[in-house]
Amino acid sequence: QHLCKVRVADCGGENVVMEETMRTETDEIRDNLKYLTLLSRDYPSQAAAASEIISTQALLKLPKGTEHFMSDLHGENEAFVHILNSASGVIREKVDQVLGDTVPKHTRAELATLIYYPNEKLPQLKARCTSEEALDQWYTETLLSLIDICRLVSSKHTRDHVRRCLPASCGYILDELLHAHFEDHDKDQYYGEIIESILRYDRADAYIVRFCEVIKRLAVDRLHIVGDLFDRGPRPDRILDSLMAHHQVDIQWGNHDVVWMGAAAGSPLCIMTVLKTTLAYNNLDTLEGGYGISLRQLERFAQSTYADSDVSRWIPHADPRTAAGDLTAAAQMHKAVTVMMLKLEAQVIARNPDFDLQGRDFLNHIDFAAGTVDYHGTVYPLLDCDFPTVDPAAPTTLTAEEGHVIAGLVRSFAESERLQRHVQFLYAHGAFYKICNGNLLYHGAVPMTEDGAFAAIRFEGVARSGKQLFDYCDRRARQGYSAPPGSPARLAGQDFLWYLWCGAKSPLFGRSAMTTFERLYIADPAAHREIKDPYYKHIAALDTAERILREFGLAGAGCHIVNGHVPVRAIEGESPIKGGGRLIIIDGGFCRAYHQRTGIAGYTLVYNSRGLILRTHQPFESAEKAIHEDEDIASKSEYIYTAPQRILVRDTDEGGRKQALIRDLCALVEAYQTGVLPQGVAQEM
């Protein structure tokens, strides 16, 4: 076959048809010879390439894998791990489907709990068996049930994929059991001997645990976290450990994430901001127990500086799960950190005029003699006039002792290996936004004007909006951690990470102001208001959601926006579904601190081969109660989008990559057939 390209040129008003060089497919193959030579290393013969084409084309006809979306976890590690283990209720549904109504409900609940927490639940269930015979019977029944459930959750995957999910130590046996046909009587003794040998050699516990892990692995293909892993809840570090162990996860940064990223990068202001939030919720275990960051030097400084101060306004919000005790020391540190944070904020605002935060450098607007603050033209009395470390003549200058404390904390954050690993993971697996299988994922907002246009935000002399703004923010956020230490780009990037946390036009914040100062120092509730970006008004309309999707290159009824950040007040009747069904806000108040405000305990969005399902969760009490009492999270589900036909792998992003591979392999076969490449030898470059 020949490829003929023809173009028409305009020469002085006269159309001239110019025929380009006739090219053959072999010429095209020669042009791509370097790539095809590399490909031939993996497929050194026509038979190998054709075999891969056949298996890949078949894979494209499988149903797409299941994706789960969660957001705003805010350190609630136990609830997160339970939802992860239960696949947001999917595994319990599979258990009920396999065992059926003839098996008592409590027995099904026990098996589900065993799958969620095999190492913890297994000893409890074994202890009920009063004899060796009873234990062997229980082992056999449990293994057979797990085999059936595992077979069900693996039904959408190729056998090769399932094998790759099996542990190397016992993968062959698990594979044999998983693909056993017990109705095949010719193999009765074969399969029976496998089960009996597992019991005889005391391997039943290990195989049960492995089957439980494989079931959880196969139930969810991909996990999307739409921002805000940190702050408020007790152990965000444990959530990150779980995510790092997950087989496929991506993260869209939230404003609570980027400020921790800035702290790990060495930004003194981000460190003070992180400490301010941590102390406000009395979550010291995150820093000290989770990341090994000592606060002893800060505590000594705060106790000596604020020994005679009234710190009642700085008493932390005590989580009922933690021992309250004497909170005075935490309150003193809270106040010390707040004052240092205000000084550093003023310095960052001064060196970044394009942040447009002038007026929020509050220490420059305080009349310390009068005890008042000029707040955007209105003078308010301060609720606390005690500033022992502030020089009214130079209010934003750190004292020598404050500088010493901050330097020590910067070193501690930099030297925390676990924190650095977690933040490197956030950079490697995270981004400002993600487009995946027709869905647009981002945490906060696309800044808008009052009339609904994309707001143009000016940084470094250039105005950007929409996708261009998101791409710019992603690049600046990465500079804050990856640019050479001490370079202007790194310092500017760290300042920008702080701006993303609280800036009025930050897409991750989406409000007029972070009113921390106002709530601590000004009594008037009007000063505490944080006005939402017009985005939150306009997303009620279908045309807004479709315009945002088009801005990011998406169109069609199957495309959706998955958004976090602002808790949906379900208790007041608010729906998480906006934009005519095209935008879903999945912040349902996962954090315990938000439960009263939302009336629920979070959402999980499930995207399977049939469409989108929204799962609404009720509060989770504790892992201990789940293990010992088989108590699951109460959830309800609703389809919010049903695909017109079942979604197959070929319809996904991965399917597009597979189809591109098929085209390349077809070219490789052509290269073999025409003699451009010899078979059986991987050519040197």
Side-chain angles (χ1 to χ4, degrees):
Q1 294 180 351
H2 291 77
L3 304 176
C4 179
K5 298 180 180 178
V6 179
R7 61 187 176 90
V8 178
D10 182 76
C11 298
E14 184 179 2
N15 289 336
V16 179
V17 177
M18 303 175 65
E19 187 172 282
E20 292 188 340
T21 305
M22 304 289 288
R23 297 172 55 83
T24 67
E25 286 187 354
T26 303
D27 293 328
E28 296 284 339
I29 289 169
R30 287 196 179 98
D31 287 347
N32 294 295
L33 190 57
K34 181 181 286 189
Y35 170 67
L36 292 177
T37 300
L38 286 173
L39 195 61
S40 71
R41 295 179 178 180
D42 293 326
Y43 309 98
S45 68
Q46 182 178 334
S51 178
E52 184 66 20
I53 291 170
I54 293 167
S55 63
T56 304
Q57 284 180 326
L59 183 148
L60 294 174
K61 300 299 178 67
L62 285 172
K64 78 172 284 295
T66 301
E67 301 170 66
H68 282 211
F69 304 76
M70 301 175 71
S71 82
D72 298 270
L73 305 177
H74 285 300
E76 293 290 345
N77 60 292
E78 284 200 348
F80 168 72
V81 168
H82 186 84
I83 287 180
L84 198 64
N85 285 341
S86 67
S88 303
V90 169
I91 288 175
R92 178 57 191 270
E93 291 174 357
K94 302 298 184 187
V95 170
D96 290 343
Q97 185 177 341
V98 167
L99 298 187
D101 293 338
T102 57
V103 175
K105 185 176 180 180
H106 74 272
T107 303
R108 286 179 274 144
E110 284 180 348
L111 184 60
T113 305
L114 176 65
I115 296 171
Y116 306 161
Y117 306 99
N119 291 305
E120 296 83 0
K121 187 68 176 177
L122 190 52
Q124 177 188 333
L125 295 176
K126 285 169 56 180
R128 296 181 186 174
C129 299
T130 57
S131 66
E132 285 294 322
E133 185 180 19
L135 180 60
D136 286 350
Q137 179 67 23
W138 179 83
Y139 273 141
T140 301
E141 292 173 356
T142 301
L143 281 166
L144 292 175
S145 295
L146 291 174
I147 289 167
D148 286 341
I149 294 165
C150 194
R151 184 181 293 138
L152 179 62
V153 297
S154 67
S155 61
K156 291 200 299 185
H157 301 284
T158 64
R159 187 165 181 177
D160 180 61
H161 175 77
V162 174
R163 281 173 174 162
R164 291 199 301 270
C165 296
L166 301 177
S169 60
C170 54
Y172 171 76
I173 300 300
L174 291 178
D175 183 53
E176 283 292 295
L177 291 173
L178 187 55
H179 295 93
H181 295 283
F182 292 102
E183 69 278 6
D184 183 353
H185 299 297
D186 291 337
K187 289 187 175 181
D188 275 351
Q189 291 184 339
Y190 173 70
Y191 294 128
E193 181 59 31
I194 291 177
I195 297 290
E196 288 178 13
S197 295
I198 288 173
L199 302 183
R200 186 183 309 126
Y201 294 106
D202 296 324
R203 299 296 296 158
D205 286 9
Y207 277 84
I208 286 172
V209 170
R210 297 298 178 270
F211 263 123
C212 291
E213 297 302 331
V214 172
I215 289 168
K216 289 184 285 190
R217 164 68 178 82
L218 293 172
V220 177
D221 222 41
R222 185 168 194 152
L223 180 63
H224 306 281
I225 304 296
V226 193
D228 277 359
L229 297 161
F230 287 96
D231 297 327
R232 299 195 178 97
R235 295 304 295 264
D237 56 304
R238 290 178 178 168
I239 292 178
L240 275 154
D241 283 342
S242 298
L243 293 177
M244 290 179 72
H246 198 272
H247 53 276
Q248 192 170 26
V249 64
D250 55 72
I251 299 159
Q252 294 70 60
W253 304 322
N255 62 322
H256 285 265
D257 303 320
V258 293
V259 74
W260 275 84
M261 290 153 60
S267 162
L269 176 52
C270 288
I271 288 172
M272 290 300 106
T273 305
V274 161
L275 286 171
K276 164 78 178 67
T277 306
T278 301
L279 288 161
Y281 286 87
N282 199 33
N283 280 342
L284 302 186
D285 198 35
T286 297
L287 287 170
E288 296 178 323
Y291 291 125
I293 295 172
S294 173
L295 301 181
R296 185 62 189 140
Q297 187 180 33
L298 171 63
E299 185 177 16
R300 286 198 300 267
F301 166 74
Q303 287 177 342
S304 63
T305 305
Y306 296 98
D308 300 323
S309 298
D310 177 7
V311 292
S312 57
R313 299 195 62 75
W314 276 265
I315 295 293
H317 309 289
D319 191 313
R321 292 168 291 183
T322 62
D326 183 7
L327 298 176
T328 302
Q332 290 170 336
M333 286 191 286
H334 188 189
K335 182 170 183 178
V337 162
T338 299
V339 173
M340 287 187 279
M341 183 185 77
L342 292 172
K343 290 183 178 184
L344 292 169
E345 283 183 350
Q347 295 174 19
V348 168
I349 290 168
R351 65 175 177 255
N352 292 278
D354 59 356
F355 287 179
D356 195 24
L357 292 175
Q358 293 76 15
R360 296 202 62 77
D361 50 342
F362 295 111
L363 292 179
N364 288 324
H365 300 275
I366 290 176
D367 183 333
F368 292 93
T372 60
V373 60
D374 184 345
Y375 182 72
H376 303 294
T378 302
V379 176
Y380 287 107
L382 292 171
L383 293 172
D384 189 321
C385 301
D386 180 33
F387 294 94
T389 67
V390 175
D391 177 1
T396 67
T397 301
L398 295 164
T399 66
E401 198 170 1
E402 285 175 325
H404 183 64
V405 169
I406 290 172
L409 287 166
V410 170
R411 284 193 302 273
S412 293
F413 273 74
E415 293 169 0
S416 171
E417 293 183 8
R418 191 159 178 247
L419 175 62
Q420 295 300 326
R421 283 199 308 274
H422 286 173
V423 168
Q424 288 162 12
F425 175 79
L426 286 174
Y427 274 108
H429 291 263
F432 212 80
Y433 68 96
K434 187 173 185 65
I435 298 169
C436 185
N437 295 332
N439 295 314
L440 171 62
L441 288 59
Y442 56 79
H443 177 72
V446 181
M448 292 185 171
T449 62
E450 287 297 333
D451 62 2
F454 296 136
I457 315 300
R458 184 173 294 275
F459 293 112
E460 298 180 306
V462 179
R464 302 173 181 84
S465 63
K467 181 179 182 296
Q468 189 182 34
L469 175 64
F470 275 42
D471 290 334
Y472 173 81
C473 291
D474 188 285
R475 178 175 62 81
R476 288 288 300 273
R478 295 183 190 279
Q479 284 182 337
Y481 193 81
S482 300
S487 66
R490 188 176 177 103
L491 176 62
Q494 290 174 9
D495 287 355
F496 198 77
L497 284 165
W498 173 78
Y499 177 83
L500 290 174
W501 151 254
C502 66
K505 292 300 180 181
S506 162
L508 298 185
F509 182 53
R511 295 189 183 95
S512 59
M514 180 82 75
T515 57
T516 303
F517 176 88
E518 292 89 330
R519 293 172 190 276
L520 287 169
Y521 287 100
I522 299 174
D524 186 356
H528 304 171
R529 289 183 61 213
E530 297 180 357
I531 301 170
K532 291 181 181 178
D533 189 274
Y535 166 87
Y536 291 101
K537 173 179 65 178
H538 292 297
I539 58 172
L542 173 62
D543 66 328
T544 298
E546 291 182 335
R547 188 153 40 88
I548 293 171
L549 287 166
R550 286 195 302 272
E551 171 72 8
F552 287 84
L554 297 174
C559 297
H560 295 82
I561 298 166
V562 184
N563 201 172
H565 188 48
V566 176
V568 174
R569 296 178 181 267
I571 197 171
E572 298 174 7
E574 182 183 0
S575 170
I577 304 166
K578 315 286 185 183
R582 304 297 293 279
L583 187 150
I584 307 103
I585 295 179
I586 59 169
D587 181 3
F590 199 88
C591 176
R592 194 176 294 252
Y594 284 130
H595 289 182
Q596 287 188 334
R597 197 182 307 178
T598 63
I600 57 175
Y603 296 113
T604 304
L605 186 66
V606 179
Y607 185 31
N608 61 24
S609 60
R610 305 290 186 186
L612 285 169
I613 306 164
L614 188 68
R615 295 184 181 269
T616 305
H617 304 299
Q618 294 304 311
F620 177 70
E621 189 162 334
S622 70
E624 183 179 0
K625 190 165 185 177
I627 293 164
H628 292 285
E629 300 180 25
D630 303 310
E631 186 168 293
D632 217 331
I633 290 181
S635 305
K636 68 175 184 178
S637 302
E638 62 172 317
Y639 263 97
I640 58 176
Y641 166 73
T642 302
Q645 56 194 22
R646 197 166 193 190
I647 307 168
L648 304 180
V649 171
R650 71 183 180 196
D651 306 314
T652 67
D653 296 342
E654 181 61 22
R657 290 187 284 270
K658 294 290 186 186
Q659 290 175 74
L661 174 62
I662 289 172
R663 290 192 293 271
D664 293 340
L665 289 169
C666 288
L668 181 61
V669 169
E670 178 75 11
Y672 287 143
Q673 290 175 338
T674 57
V676 174
L677 280 177
Q679 296 189 61
V681 179
Q683 300 289 299
E684 295 294 330
M685 292 295 293

